[in-house]
Amino acid sequence: MATSPTRRRPSVRLRTAVAACLALAPAVALFSVAGVLVQRHQLTNGVALVAEEQAEGVATSLSRAGAAGGPALSRSTGNEANLIQVIGANGQVVAATPALHGRSALLSTGELSSGTRRTMTGLVPGESDKYIVVSAPAGNGRHVVAAQSLESVDRATSSTLGLLAVGAPLLVLLVGGLSYLLVGRALRPVERLRSDAAEITAADSTARLPPVETGDEIERLAVTLNEMLARLQTAANAQRQFVADASHELRSPIATIRTLHEVALATGPEGNGATTSQEVLVEVSRLERLVADLLLLARPSATPNAPFEPLDLSAVVREEAARARGVPVFAEIQPGVLVRGHPDSLAMSVRNVLDNAERHTTSRIDLRLDAEDGRAVLTVRDDGAGIPAADRERIFDRFVRLDDARARDDGGTGLGLAICRHVLNQHGGTIRVAAPTAGEPGSLFVIEIPLAAAPPAARKPGGEDVR
């Protein structure tokens, strides 16, 4: 069933630019409004101070003249922008500039005494200007009221609003454009990495992405991608090697079975059918073991079918050491060494190490199990020719045999130690070949597994032949 194509979304740089504009626009609008309000408040205060100075000046002149205020107002510069009234103690207008002739008092008696500021309109017939109105005492109960036009404040506010109406959108667009360009520049190495990665195919697994020297997350991304490609190449090579080795190993018993049957057919009924059947069963058994080992190793990260459980590793090791072998096994086993694991898997691991030791030893195998520093330590020593230092790690790889002829003769496939390491990795343990002690022959395998609980302090000393 065909899947519908994924809806194409806008590019990251476009979405980033739009997001920057959407985030900046409210902030610019808020600061613009706040700035206009603060500017208007300060300008209005300035005009009010001018009006107060004018009112106080007229009040001082009236106090000195001692008259009703007519001479003082006649010398004033009152006009449509500067309006003045002199209000007597009874609240009536005593004198006024020409623009306010015939108009009642601009402020009430209570407002005069409290020094209230008021904003008023329509003070001059035919004009709609706003005025800030203030008062000042002039003695003898009189007050001088001065009204100063706010036309200059309105013009300044309008100019500021006009500038902001043009500048704020331009600022938002400028930030959006810069975000678009900068994000595009920042993502250019990512696009180059994407295009280069698209050209890497399975046929050329050695290809790598070109280095990106940006000194930031993109450079670390390129390094990580190259490391991932290296791991994929290693896994692919291991898979191809596994398939090649498995094919080679499977071909040998199959070819032997085919040859045995062809010989049996060629010799006819007089041939030894029982011998042929026995030889075929041997090869089939070898083939069965090989297939089982391959299936186990085909899933290197798989967990055992059964869950881990507390178990006595001492009993498992003792049972495996007691199996009949071609050489004696001298075991020194500390009782009560408890671990968490899968008993069958651990038994198979111990068996594989003992089988390997039996295959290469000369006269005996020495086995020892102890609990040390929170780990169960199992050592298996043989007295054979030993393992060269260069091969002590390689022998844990799949299908590795240091003596191919003898391994094939006794049915070895070169998978036993690889399976052992695989199982121990699942249990959090390790296996290694220790360097030989001076004067001691053979090889020493060391297995370590975390303990499930502290074992008893006592240990049965001495060794026993459990052959």
Side-chain angles (χ1 to χ4, degrees):
M1 177 174 156
T3 58
S4 58
T6 304
R7 182 174 62 88
R8 188 175 180 85
R9 300 182 63 186
S11 64
V12 173
R13 62 192 303 193
L14 180 59
R15 281 182 284 162
T16 303
V18 172
C21 292
L22 293 178
L24 183 62
V28 171
L30 179 63
F31 282 109
S32 297
V33 171
V36 170
L37 292 177
V38 170
Q39 179 199 41
R40 185 174 182 84
H41 178 73
Q42 291 177 343
L43 292 176
T44 301
N45 282 342
V47 172
L49 290 175
V50 172
E52 288 176 354
E53 291 177 357
Q54 187 177 29
E56 290 173 355
V58 174
T60 301
S61 300
L62 289 175
S63 299
R64 290 176 180 175
L73 289 181
S74 64
R75 292 193 301 270
S76 71
T77 57
N79 50 42
E80 291 184 358
N82 306 307
L83 308 179
I84 299 174
Q85 282 183 339
V86 178
I87 302 176
N90 58 0
Q92 299 298 318
V93 177
V94 177
T97 54
L100 293 180
H101 282 168
R103 188 177 181 89
S104 59
L106 298 180
L107 298 177
S108 64
T109 304
E111 293 172 332
L112 290 172
S113 59
S114 62
T116 302
R117 291 182 181 180
R118 287 188 59 186
T119 302
M120 306 178 68
T121 57
L123 299 184
V124 179
E127 298 290 340
S128 59
D129 293 348
K130 292 182 180 179
Y131 289 82
I132 185 76
V133 181
V134 299
S135 64
N140 299 324
R142 296 176 299 178
H143 288 81
V144 176
V145 176
Q148 190 75 20
S149 175
L150 295 176
E151 183 179 2
S152 60
V153 176
D154 293 336
R155 285 199 304 267
T157 303
S158 299
S159 299
T160 303
L161 288 174
L163 291 174
L164 291 175
V166 176
L170 289 178
L171 176 61
V172 172
L173 293 176
L174 177 62
V175 171
L178 288 175
S179 300
Y180 185 84
L181 293 177
L182 293 177
V183 172
R185 183 180 180 87
L187 292 179
R188 194 176 302 157
V190 177
E191 176 61 22
R192 186 166 62 251
L193 289 175
R194 186 203 63 78
S195 60
D196 292 337
E199 297 176 359
I200 297 177
T201 62
D204 185 16
S205 59
T206 61
R208 296 292 182 268
L209 298 174
V212 179
E213 298 180 355
T214 58
D216 55 12
E217 294 83 355
I218 297 177
E219 180 177 351
R220 294 194 291 273
L221 173 63
V223 172
T224 302
L225 290 177
N226 280 331
E227 292 174 350
M228 180 190 68
L229 290 173
R231 291 194 299 271
L232 291 176
Q233 180 188 3
T234 301
N237 292 339
Q239 183 181 22
R240 284 193 292 267
Q241 185 65 36
F242 179 80
V243 172
D245 292 339
S247 301
H248 177 76
E249 295 294 333
L250 290 171
R251 184 167 50 188
S252 178
I254 292 175
T256 302
I257 293 172
R258 178 186 178 90
T259 301
L260 290 173
H261 279 84
E262 288 177 347
V263 171
L265 291 175
T267 57
E270 64 275 8
N272 193 340
T275 302
T276 301
S277 298
Q278 183 64 32
E279 292 175 346
V280 169
L281 286 175
V282 171
E283 293 298 324
V284 169
S285 178
R286 176 185 174 189
L287 182 62
E288 183 180 13
R289 291 197 306 271
L290 178 60
V291 171
D293 292 345
L294 290 175
L295 288 176
L296 177 62
L297 291 175
R299 299 184 297 271
S301 61
T303 56
N305 294 329
F308 287 172
E309 60 186 40
L311 59 92
D312 186 356
L313 185 61
S314 303
V316 174
V317 173
R318 186 177 295 108
E319 180 179 354
E320 292 300 324
R323 289 180 180 270
R325 298 186 181 277
V327 294
V329 178
F330 292 89
E332 189 176 353
I333 302 173
Q334 176 177 334
V337 179
L338 302 179
V339 299
R340 288 189 59 84
H342 188 252
D344 293 339
S345 298
L346 291 177
M348 178 179 59
S349 298
V350 176
R351 188 183 317 129
N352 287 348
V353 176
L354 289 173
D355 290 344
N356 179 79
E358 180 184 2
R359 189 177 299 121
H360 296 91
T361 194
T362 301
S363 60
R364 61 182 285 167
I365 298 174
D366 293 291
L367 180 149
R368 178 175 179 139
L369 176 65
D370 289 293
E372 301 176 359
D373 299 328
R375 299 180 75 82
V377 181
L378 172 66
T379 59
V380 177
R381 181 187 297 276
D382 64 69
D383 59 356
I387 302 174
D391 296 323
R392 288 174 191 160
E393 184 63 26
R394 191 172 68 89
I395 61 173
F396 296 104
D397 294 337
R398 301 163 184 170
F399 302 107
V400 172
R401 303 184 187 91
L402 301 185
D403 188 348
D404 288 340
R406 182 169 58 178
R408 290 184 186 277
D409 290 342
D410 63 12
T413 62
L415 293 176
L417 294 179
I419 291 175
C420 184
R421 171 164 283 185
H422 166 68
V423 171
L424 290 173
N425 285 339
Q426 290 180 333
H427 288 74
T430 60
I431 181 172
R432 58 185 173 86
V433 179
T437 305
E440 292 187 357
S443 305
L444 177 63
F445 284 79
V446 180
I447 295 176
E448 296 185 4
I449 305 174
L451 293 175
R459 179 175 60 83
K460 293 182 179 179
E464 55 176 325
D465 184 354
V466 294
R467 179 185 175 192

